[in-house]
Amino acid sequence: MFDPYKVREDFPILKRKINNHPLIYFDNAATSQKPRQVIDAIKEYYEQHNANVHRAVHTLSLEATELYEEAHGEVAKFIGARSMEEVVFVRGTTEAINLVAYSWGLKSLKQGDEVLVTLMEHHSNIVPWEILSKIKGFKVKYLDVNNDGTINHEAFKEALSPKVKIVCVTHVSNVTGVINDVKLLAKIAHENGALMLVDGAQSIPHIPVKVKDLDCDFLAFSGHKMLGPTGIGVLYGKREILEKMEPFHGGGEMIREVSFNPKTRKCTISWNDLPWKFEAGTPNICGGVGLMAAVKYLKTLGMENVKAHECTLTEYAMKRLKECEKTTVYGPQDSTIKCGIIPFNIEGFNSHDVALLLDSYGIMIRSGFHCAQPLHQKFKLSSSARASFYIYNTKEEIDSFIEALKEIEQSL
Amino acid sequence: MNAETIVQEYIARIEEACGAEKDFIVHFKYDKKDEAMAKILKKAKVEKTVAKIIFDLTYGNFSFRLYATGKVIFKKIKDKNELYKVLSDLLL
C-alpha cells in the first residue's frame, strides 16, 4: 500500500522550515528531493568503495567497477532495455540528446534532411539540433501543438516525409504535464523511415516506461529528477544503432586500443564495447551508485503506485484551483492525460511575483519559461508559474497551496 | 564606498529571471536584510503595502517590489549596470 506519509519519513529535507513555514516542495519538475537511501548509498560509496573503475586489479577498483556496472544493469531493467549495453551514463538529459545529435546526427544528417521536433520541447531538445543544423545544413522542422498543448496526430503524420530522418519528442511536457502517446508517434515515425528520440526527463520519474513497449530508438532522462543525484543521466539506445554510431567524446575508458605505428607515426584506435564507447574519461561513478539506489527505491514503491498517487494529487489540485477566481491554469483541464505538472498565472501578478510570494509561505514553485519559450509564445504568455508534484507530496500540502493562492489573490 | 562595494555588502545574489518580463530578483544577505530593507524603505516611496510583507515601491523612474523575506523584484530594468546603480543609490 503506497503511503505518502511513510514515504516522507525517508526525505530528511522535508523536515525543514522555510520562512517559518513547513517546507512544501512543489518544484519537482526542476529536480526532486533525495531519500535517505540515496544519500546513504553515496556516503557508503565514498566511505567504503571509492576507486576508479575498469582495468585496475586491486580490490577497491573491483568493488567500484562492480557497483558501477550493476548500476547500468539496474537502470536497464528499470526501463526494460535488453541489456546494460544499451544504457549509457551521461550527465543528464541534455547531454544525452547532445550525444545523439553529434554521434548520430553528425554522420547521418545532411543538407535536405529534416529533424522534426514539437513546439512543446524543452530547449535541450531544440538547441542541439539547431546548432548541428548550422554545421550540416539540414532543417529543424517544428510541429505546432493544439491550443491545450496536446499533439495533433494527423498534423504529426502530415509533417512526416522521407526528408525527416529523426523525430524528437518529449514524453511528458515539462510545462503542461501532457503525456504524449510516444508509442504511437514512434510507430508512425518508423513507418515513415525516421528514427524516434524520446525525451523522458519528465516521464521516467513519474510513470512506468518500458522502451521495448514504446519501441523508441533513443530515450534520454536525468537522475536528479527521479530521486538520484545531479550530474548523472541516461541515454538508452537500441544496440544496433549505438554500435554504428561514432563516439561522442574521446579519451580514456572509451577505447580498446591506441596503437602507435612508428613507421607511419600515426595511431590506430579501436573503440571499447558498449556502453563504455560513449563514456569517455573517469565516469561519475558515485552518481551511478546514487542513481541505482534511486531506481531501487522507486521499484520498491512501484511505478504504478507512483503514477496513481500523482494522478490523485493532480486531479485534486486541478479541482481545488477552480476555487481561485483570479488564477488561470494552462494546458489540458483533463487531469487523466497529464502528469503532476500544473502551469498557472494569477491575474495582476507576474509569475516571479507569485513564486516569491509563495516562497514566503514556505512553498517552492518555479516561474519563468521553464526552458520552453516556444510553448509560452504559442500560449501567448510572457511566463508562467509552475507547481509540480512527486511521491512525497500530499493533499494537505495542496490545501495549504490553495489557501496561499487565495490570500495572494486577495492581496491585490 | 563605490557601487560595487555597497552591492557586495548587502547582496547575496542577483538572478536574472527568465520570461519575457526580464525581471531581476535580488536576494539580500540574511544577516543584512533588515538593514537593507530599512534603507530602501527610507529612500523609496511606498505606493502600496500588503500586511508589511510586500511593499510596492518607486524610486525615480523605477518601480519594484520588496518582500519581507529579503528579496526584491525589479521590473523593466535595462541591464545589470542599471540595476547596480539603482541598488547602490538605495543602499548608500
Side-chain angles (χ1 to χ4, degrees):
Chain A
M1 179 76 181
F2 181 86
D3 180 356
Y5 303 97
K6 197 166 178 299
V7 167
R8 290 177 68 83
E9 291 171 13
D10 291 330
F11 290 80
I13 202 169
L14 298 178
K15 291 182 177 65
R16 268 199 71 179
K17 284 196 166 189
I18 305 271
N19 294 321
N20 297 320
H21 292 273
L23 165 63
I24 295 178
Y25 188 78
F26 281 176
D27 195 16
N28 294 289
T31 197
S32 68
Q33 296 303 340
K34 320 303 170 197
R36 173 65 64 199
Q37 290 82 343
V38 169
I39 298 165
D40 286 348
I42 292 167
K43 189 168 171 274
E44 191 194 317
Y45 171 75
Y46 277 128
E47 285 182 351
Q48 300 294 328
H49 310 292
N50 180 50
N52 211 333
V53 291
H54 296 140
R55 304 199 195 216
V57 292
H58 61 75
T59 304
L60 278 187
S61 178
L62 182 68
E63 287 176 11
T65 301
E66 283 180 344
L67 279 169
Y68 190 61
E69 293 192 353
E70 188 189 344
H72 282 73
E74 280 295 332
V75 171
K77 277 189 271 176
F78 187 66
I79 60 169
R82 285 174 293 184
S83 68
M84 64 171 262
E85 283 78 14
E86 295 184 319
V87 171
V88 180
F89 279 2
V90 289
R91 279 188 298 162
T93 309
T94 299
E95 187 172 272
I97 296 170
N98 273 276
L99 193 161
V100 176
Y102 286 93
S103 292
W104 177 82
L106 207 54
K107 190 177 169 186
S108 307
L109 295 169
K110 60 184 187 310
Q111 201 162 13
D113 289 343
E114 290 176 351
V115 170
L116 182 64
V117 301
T118 78
L119 274 189
M120 77 170 84
E121 298 311 308
H122 188 283
H123 295 163
S124 62
N125 205 13
I126 292 174
V127 179
W129 302 110
E130 284 286 1
I131 292 172
L132 195 65
S133 75
K134 304 285 184 292
I135 301 167
K136 298 291 290 182
F138 62 84
K139 182 184 168 189
V140 181
K141 193 172 175 181
Y142 291 88
L143 179 74
D144 205 352
V145 295
N146 297 324
N147 288 334
D148 65 354
T150 55
I151 287 179
N152 180 327
H153 292 157
E154 286 308 309
F156 178 75
K157 279 182 197 169
E158 284 168 21
L160 286 167
S161 75
K163 286 182 180 177
V164 177
K165 303 299 179 202
I166 190 166
V167 174
C168 306
V169 180
T170 188
H171 196 171
V172 170
S173 163
N174 76 311
V175 177
T176 61
V178 161
I179 305 171
N180 291 318
D181 187 350
V182 285
K183 183 179 177 178
L184 176 65
L185 300 182
K187 185 172 178 285
I188 299 168
H190 289 154
E191 284 167 359
N192 284 271
L195 295 184
M196 179 75 176
L197 180 149
V198 174
D199 172 355
Q202 300 293 345
S203 63
I204 301 296
H206 304 282
I207 57 176
V209 176
K210 297 293 175 199
V211 287
K212 201 175 169 188
D213 179 49
L214 297 186
D215 194 27
C216 56
D217 300 289
F218 299 108
L219 174 73
F221 57 99
S222 300
H224 71 96
K225 293 184 198 287
M226 53 187 291
L227 312 177
T230 51
I232 188 80
V234 175
L235 173 70
Y236 156 82
K238 282 182 180 166
R239 185 181 183 139
E240 55 274 25
I241 299 172
L242 291 178
E243 277 174 345
K244 287 180 193 159
M245 283 162 53
E246 294 295 314
F248 181 33
H249 294 141
E253 283 278 313
M254 49 75 68
I255 46 90
R256 173 168 291 123
E257 196 177 46
V258 182
S259 172
F260 179 68
N261 183 330
K263 285 182 186 166
T264 61
R265 301 200 65 75
K266 284 184 177 175
C267 282
T268 305
I269 304 168
S270 57
W271 312 135
N272 204 343
D273 295 330
L274 291 173
W276 323 121
K277 180 173 99 172
F278 294 105
E279 295 190 15
T282 297
N284 183 356
I285 308 161
C286 181
V289 170
L291 177 59
M292 173 163 64
V295 164
K296 285 179 177 173
Y297 188 89
L298 286 170
K299 277 170 88 172
T300 306
L301 293 181
M303 289 309 293
E304 284 293 350
N305 293 328
V306 170
K307 183 186 174 188
H309 175 64
E310 288 181 37
C311 280
T312 305
L313 289 182
T314 308
E315 197 178 345
Y316 183 68
M318 294 285 281
K319 190 179 156 198
R320 288 225 56 196
L321 275 162
K322 287 179 182 149
E323 297 168 25
C324 303
E325 291 170 358
K326 291 174 186 166
T327 299
T328 306
V329 174
Y330 308 105
Q333 302 302 305
D334 178 1
S335 56
T336 62
I337 61 165
K338 60 185 279 171
C339 274
I341 298 173
I342 302 179
F344 65 96
N345 274 321
I346 302 179
E347 192 186 316
F349 292 93
N350 81 15
S351 66
H352 308 307
D353 277 314
V354 175
L356 280 169
L357 284 161
L358 286 171
D359 177 73
S360 65
Y361 290 87
I363 302 169
M364 313 290 114
I365 64 150
R366 195 141 287 256
S367 56
F369 283 140
H370 322 301
C371 293
Q373 194 171 344
L375 189 62
H376 280 81
Q377 287 172 314
K378 163 77 183 176
F379 288 159
K380 295 185 172 59
L381 295 175
S382 55
S383 68
S384 65
R386 180 186 72 182
S388 50
F389 313 128
Y390 208 14
I391 48 176
Y392 35 72
N393 293 128
T394 63
K395 281 186 176 180
E396 288 78 9
E397 288 183 322
I398 290 171
D399 289 338
S400 301
F401 169 64
I402 298 293
E403 293 315 310
L405 288 183
K406 284 179 182 175
E407 281 187 35
I408 292 168
E409 284 185 346
Q410 283 162 13
S411 71
L412 258 185
Chain B
M1 281 202 289
N2 60 29
E4 202 174 320
T5 316
I6 294 163
V7 168
Q8 275 175 3
E9 188 179 347
Y10 291 99
I11 291 166
R13 192 164 181 83
I14 295 173
E15 291 282 357
E16 193 173 351
C18 71
E21 296 98 346
K22 304 278 181 205
D23 298 338
F24 284 93
I25 318 284
V26 178
H27 300 258
F28 291 127
K29 288 179 180 170
Y30 187 77
D31 57 341
K32 285 280 186 179
K33 75 180 170 76
D34 293 338
E35 192 183 329
M37 287 193 293
K39 282 191 170 193
I40 288 173
L41 287 169
K42 209 170 169 183
K43 286 196 176 176
K45 185 183 172 195
V46 179
E47 301 289 345
K48 192 183 159 193
T49 176
V50 179
K52 294 195 174 172
I53 294 171
I54 311 162
F55 300 88
D56 281 339
L57 305 166
T58 52
Y59 180 71
N61 294 324
F62 301 104
S63 60
F64 53 99
R65 184 170 278 170
L66 173 71
Y67 294 82
T69 51
K71 292 161 188 170
V72 190
I73 180 164
F74 280 90
K75 298 164 199 288
K76 292 173 186 167
I77 288 271
K78 198 169 68 189
D79 52 29
K80 256 189 178 174
N81 288 336
E82 191 171 70
L83 178 69
Y84 269 54
K85 191 174 178 326
V86 183
L87 282 170
S88 59
D89 282 355
L90 285 165
L91 295 169
L92 192 65

